[in-house]
Amino acid sequence: MFFLGKGNIMVMGQENHQRRAVHPEDSKWTEYFINAPVLSCSCQTLEESIKERRDKLVTEVRCMIQGYTSSKIHLSHGMKIVDAIERLGVGYHFHEEIGMFMRVLNDTPARENDMAEAALRFRLLRQHHYNAPSDVFGCFLDKNGDFKETLRYDVDALLSLYEAAHLGKCDEELLKNAVVFTTGCLSAMADTGQLPQPLLEKVEHALTSPTQRRMKRLEAKLYISIYENDEDSNQDILELAKLDFHILQQMHRDEARRFSLWYKELNVGSTLGPYIRERPVECYFWSLCVFYEPQYAKARMMFAKLTKIFSLFDDTFDSYGTLEELHLFNNAVQSWDEGGAKQIGENFGYVMSLLCKTLNEFVADGASPLGIDCTKKTIKEASRCMLQEIIWREEGQVPLLRDHLEFSTITTLYWAMACISFVDPMDTNNGVAVFRWAISSPKIIENSAMITRLMDDIAGHEYEKERSGIPTTVECYMKEHGVTIQDAKKALWCLVEDEWRSINQEFLSNTTVPVPLLTRVINLARAMETMYKTIIGYTHCSSIINPISNVLDKCVSH
């Protein structure tokens, strides 16, 4: 039921309330980071020299961006520089400079004879909350309304259009067609084996996931090697990206270590038993999907802690409690009653107390009290919907897809996680309007939760069918439409695409919430692209060793 995937199923006897757990797959990371060596004095000296060189490069690149903005002559080259900076993960150093560049770019018409440039301009503007019109691509169509045949052989133009098309909104048929057209052309080129290796890497990277849907920290790591082999790469920007990734990686490793220690001190496994999934580093990795920048260190720890507690909350519903107990537990959650939870049993009391204690600590540490209240309300909604899923399981019901999604998108807990991502004390502008919006179940959060639910169920349907009685969206679609598993999954993937287009639309139309907060909601959906596109990465944690290793363990040569 939870966005991290269903927990291990408990065989529950309703008559005698006996429980039998299958122990989850172990995570390799917790002890690894706890035992990671602390930097020696000599290493600390080296780190200081790396930071000094990084800061010098930041100044030089800042001047470079300002030069493109003030001259307004070489904006096409400036676009490539800004795009590289952001894909390499160092855009946070140049927020004001890039903002000024984008304002100039928005006021400058696109050149109609260059698809690669027009598509890059379109994508950058939409990424930065400018509602660039899609009719800019009309001049690249033939008299039948299809993309001109000459584009089929222009790899740069195809790559640029492919990336831009994934910023399309719901009603933009031209961009939907562009995704199909460019995907087909690029796939055919990759299959011929005739592309030079650097270009082949670019094409395969794009086809795996478009930039719009990639986890930004992982993208930075992977894109460094692609940019390094690009004959047009800027060496100062490349060096800056490598040094900055190293510096942030050291910070993130230390955070992962401290988070693992926090979790180990809770001694959760001994308290709750074998039914829980012990995934502290995976939860911290999830927080890096949402915000990786240095200034959000405190927010990351809050987010990771609550994510881990949500996992315990979900496992207790899905893999431990009987229906009778869960009715009582839901009542305790609705009234926010620790004492009531403790009366049901030790495990219920522990989970509820840990949740209450942690949220109170967040407030004491400067988190927005209003934001914490919003988070509590969304947790209550999730509890109510989790109970409904258990009722479906116990009664053997397979609901209609729309009824399933009405509840199961909320049980992803993404609504609650969006709220907690807004409570950081660094975000001084997050006032009443923001949290009033957040608690209203806004469309963009619903989109992100829908993507999460659908991708979770598509990747994990077979596993859940075998291990859990809770129906998935795949099962609901199969029953409702009388189709095969393959047809159901194909149809649900189409719904995922629809939700991404809706996210783009909601992002561009929202003027209530600051762009950085909207970006966090989108980042929640991007996490699924890394962890759930082909596998249920939280439950089967060995399948996401490589992404975590890339971000937190493997070094960048510099």
Side-chain angles (χ1 to χ4, degrees), residues 315-345:
D315 287 346
T316 299
F317 257 96
D318 195 32
S319 303
Y320 180 76
T322 65
L323 181 57
E324 179 184 356
E325 289 170 337
L326 293 174
H327 271 292
L328 295 173
F329 186 52
N330 177 60
N331 290 339
V333 173
Q334 300 307 318
S335 56
W336 213 253
D337 181 7
E338 289 184 61
K342 290 176 181 176
Q343 290 177 7
I344 306 167

Side-chain angles (χ1 to χ4, degrees), residues 211-250:
T211 299
Q212 169 67 357
R213 301 183 188 180
R214 284 184 172 271
M215 174 193 173
K216 297 311 174 186
R217 189 79 312 224
L218 181 59
E219 168 72 345
K221 176 64 180 294
L222 298 178
Y223 197 68
I224 284 174
S225 62
I226 293 175
Y227 191 69
E228 192 169 28
N229 294 324
D230 191 331
E231 60 184 17
D232 295 327
S233 64
N234 181 288
Q235 293 305 301
D236 284 344
I237 292 174
L238 178 61
E239 183 184 1
L240 169 60
K242 289 182 175 183
L243 296 178
D244 195 69
F245 189 91
H246 169 82
I247 291 167
L248 293 194
Q249 187 181 59
Q250 297 306 307

